[in-house]
Amino acid sequence: MRILNIQRMSTEDGPGLRTTVFFKGCPLTCAWCHNPESIPYKLDLEWIKTSCIACLECISICPEKALTYKDDLILIDREKCTLCKKCIENCPTNALKIIGQDISVQDLYKELIKDKAYFTNGGGITLSGGEVLLQSKEVLELLKLLKKDKIHIAIDTSGYIDFKQIELILDYVDLFLYDLKIDSSEAHMKFCHTPNELIKENLIKLNKQSKDIWIRTPIIPDATDSIENIEMIAKFLKDNHINFNRWELCAFNNLCKDKYLRLGINWAYNDALLITKEKHNELLKHAKTILKGKSIYATGNTRLEKNDE
């Protein structure tokens, strides 16, 4: 299995206290992605500016001449880099590292089961991404092992996957965290570079499987944060009788800025502001008006206004 990392004591990836595994590889390339390092399946190299002392040892030792120094930055030519790790081995401050790791199903299970004691009060394990279901055969093996220990399992998915991959693991999953980002397929193509018909179709199919479902919509400036988008998603959920347990309108945050810097990517949302509490609540109001009595929440941090100080 190819994963990014394991995050313990998580409270945002399902009910209770959870351990979340982030997997490499995603079929979507959302412009605002908070985990850009999870999009490519391949392993990658990142440079951590705050750890670098600019000794430039990495540049002199790289056999492929894939590293250069310009404007106080170490630049990585990813076409040339072969991940030979010589730069990492010779960096005195660990400012370079590989993103992602390959781990066997058994070894990942042994690592996760260490946290079993924390799950006694409603917590569990969440498999997230990237898109975890791109590795569904290996995930199935892992879930079979975890279910023997009666652990609550959540799968965080984009829904942009062959439904057969979802069916494969259905019997071992308690909760699906399902992303509905944009109602318009045209807009979805613009911002996420895929259409969304498959995502909607799969949610309708999943709804028939009697599984707990949490819908999650990221509220992104000038992309998903319009009243029209929220109303259209709400109408889709209502018209198709989607029996979700919870719908979260997740406020945009810019805490991933440093990730883009490490990857040498110019992020379109680098200077975007957080949503105001007023607008966040307005979107929530419109969602609740259409889906009366449903559990819908505005989650995440909002912009600090003067009257909030």
Side-chain angles (χ1 to χ4, degrees):
M1 311 179 83
R2 182 161 289 180
I3 68 172
L4 268 176
N5 63 286
I6 299 171
Q7 179 178 302
R8 292 180 160 88
M9 303 296 181
S10 173
T11 58
E12 298 179 352
D13 298 311
L17 199 61
R18 309 190 70 81
T19 295
T20 302
V21 186
F22 292 91
F23 284 71
K24 283 280 277 175
C26 186
L28 276 60
T29 52
C30 301
W32 54 79
C33 183
H34 287 178
N35 293 311
E37 72 278 25
S38 74
I39 295 176
Y41 177 75
K42 68 179 183 68
L43 301 180
D44 210 342
L45 180 68
E46 70 173 354
W47 169 68
I48 306 167
K49 184 177 182 179
T50 52
S51 299
C52 184
I53 57 173
C55 68
L56 307 187
E57 181 67 18
C58 57
I59 294 175
S60 63
I61 205 164
C62 177
E64 308 301 329
K65 306 301 179 185
L67 302 176
T68 55
Y69 185 70
K70 182 180 180 181
D71 299 331
D72 201 29
L73 301 173
I74 297 290
L75 305 178
I76 304 169
D77 187 331
R78 300 177 194 283
E79 295 291 325
K80 292 181 178 180
C81 179
T82 61
L83 297 180
C84 69
K85 301 183 182 179
K86 289 185 178 180
C87 59
I88 295 173
E89 294 165 358
N90 288 274
C91 179
T93 59
N94 298 315
L96 289 158
K97 70 174 187 176
I98 297 291
I99 305 172
Q101 61 173 304
D102 291 329
I103 185 170
S104 72
V105 172
Q106 283 287 343
D107 285 346
L108 182 53
Y109 165 73
K110 290 175 183 177
E111 186 63 32
L112 295 176
I113 204 64
K114 294 177 183 178
D115 301 335
K116 185 179 178 180
Y118 296 111
F119 306 147
T120 54
N121 294 315
I125 289 171
T126 298
L127 305 185
S128 186
E131 175 52 68
V132 60
L133 294 179
L134 290 177
Q135 302 182 55
S136 57
K137 290 183 180 179
E138 294 80 11
V139 168
L140 176 60
E141 293 180 44
L142 177 65
L143 296 185
K144 286 180 178 179
L145 293 173
L146 293 172
K147 270 305 172 185
K148 288 181 180 179
D149 293 283
K150 299 180 179 180
I151 292 173
H152 183 277
I153 301 295
I155 295 286
D156 185 358
T157 179
S158 69
Y160 194 76
I161 195 82
D162 189 325
F163 194 73
K164 291 179 181 178
Q165 306 302 91
I166 298 176
E167 286 181 312
L168 193 64
I169 48 89
L170 267 176
D171 291 342
Y172 303 94
V173 179
D174 301 290
L175 169 66
F176 283 88
L177 308 176
Y178 203 97
D179 289 355
L180 279 183
K181 300 175 175 67
I182 309 174
D183 179 74
S184 162
S185 189
E186 182 180 354
H188 201 278
M189 178 65 79
K190 175 183 176 181
F191 290 107
C192 304
H193 306 100
T194 67
N196 69 357
E197 286 85 0
L198 179 62
I199 295 170
K200 290 182 175 180
E201 290 169 8
N202 283 342
L203 179 57
I204 292 170
K205 291 177 182 178
L206 180 60
N207 187 52
K208 298 176 182 177
Q209 303 299 322
S210 300
K211 292 290 181 180
D212 288 345
I213 300 173
W214 287 15
I215 305 296
R216 301 210 287 190
T217 301
I219 305 302
I220 309 300
D222 301 319
T224 71
D225 65 344
S226 68
I227 291 173
E228 179 186 12
N229 184 52
I230 298 304
E231 286 186 341
M232 291 305 294
I233 291 176
K235 288 176 182 176
F236 168 79
L237 294 172
K238 182 178 181 179
D239 292 346
N240 289 281
H241 309 287
I242 304 299
N243 187 29
F244 62 89
N245 304 76
R246 180 183 177 95
W247 179 15
E248 295 183 350
L249 307 182
C250 310
F252 164 82
N253 72 64
N254 54 11
L255 298 178
C256 57
K257 281 184 180 182
D258 190 53
K259 292 183 178 182
Y260 283 89
L261 177 63
R262 293 181 184 190
L263 293 170
I265 300 172
N266 292 321
W267 189 37
Y269 291 88
N270 196 63
D271 298 317
L273 298 176
L274 303 188
I275 190 173
T276 64
K277 184 183 294 186
E278 179 183 6
K279 184 169 185 178
H280 208 187
N281 287 335
E282 182 183 15
L283 296 177
L284 179 64
K285 176 183 175 182
H286 282 268
K288 286 188 170 184
T289 297
I290 294 172
L291 292 164
K292 292 182 175 63
K294 289 288 190 177
S295 298
I296 310 174
Y297 303 91
T299 63
N301 295 323
T302 54
R303 192 187 316 167
L304 185 63
E305 304 285 353
K306 287 186 177 181
N307 55 356
D308 295 330
E309 293 177 353

